[in-house]
Every structure is written in structure tokens, then in C-alpha cells.
Amino acid sequence: MDNQELIDLLDNLTPYFVSGLILLMVVIVVALARESKGGKMAYIVLSIALLVGTSGWIAKTLIQAFIKI
């Protein structure tokens, strides 16, 4: 496998890896919200923090799909 094939493979797999990490973060946020005993407010604040953190990647993915880069 030469360098270009490896780069192409990693380019194709990166969205799946990042999606998996986002799902892992969702599980962690839900666990933190339950353990904090902060109620709905803790869940909302942690969810907003996760959304802000991942919104850039989601926007980039949507823009690339729209422009078809």
C-alpha cells in the first residue's frame, strides 16, 4: 500500500471515526448528567456544551456535502 492509498483510506474513514467519538461523548454527557444529580438543568447545559463543541464538524460535513467537495 503506497502513501496515496493510505491517505485515501484515512480520508474515507475519518467521518466514521469522528461520528463514533461524538456518540461516545453523548454517552459520557448522559452519564455525567445522571451522576451530577443536577436534574434537567444539568442535562440541558451539558447537552448544549456538546452541541457547541460538535456543531463545527457537523456544519463542515453539511457544507462539503452541499458543495460536493
Side-chain angles (χ1 to χ4, degrees):
M1 182 180 293
D2 64 347
N3 283 342
Q4 188 59 39
E5 290 175 354
L6 182 60
I7 290 171
D8 291 340
L9 176 66
L10 291 175
D11 283 343
N12 291 334
L13 291 178
T14 299
Y16 298 109
F17 290 144
V18 174
S19 299
L21 288 172
I22 289 173
L23 288 175
L24 178 64
M25 287 188 291
V26 167
V27 169
I28 292 170
V29 164
V30 169
L32 283 172
R34 286 184 184 161
E35 289 179 13
S36 70
K37 295 184 174 88
K40 289 182 184 178
M41 187 62 179
Y43 183 73
I44 290 170
V45 169
L46 289 171
S47 297
I48 289 172
L50 179 63
L51 180 64
V52 168
T54 59
S55 63
W57 183 77
I58 293 169
K60 179 184 94 55
T61 304
L62 292 174
I63 291 169
Q64 283 180 337
F66 182 70
I67 297 176
K68 296 181 183 176
I69 293 177

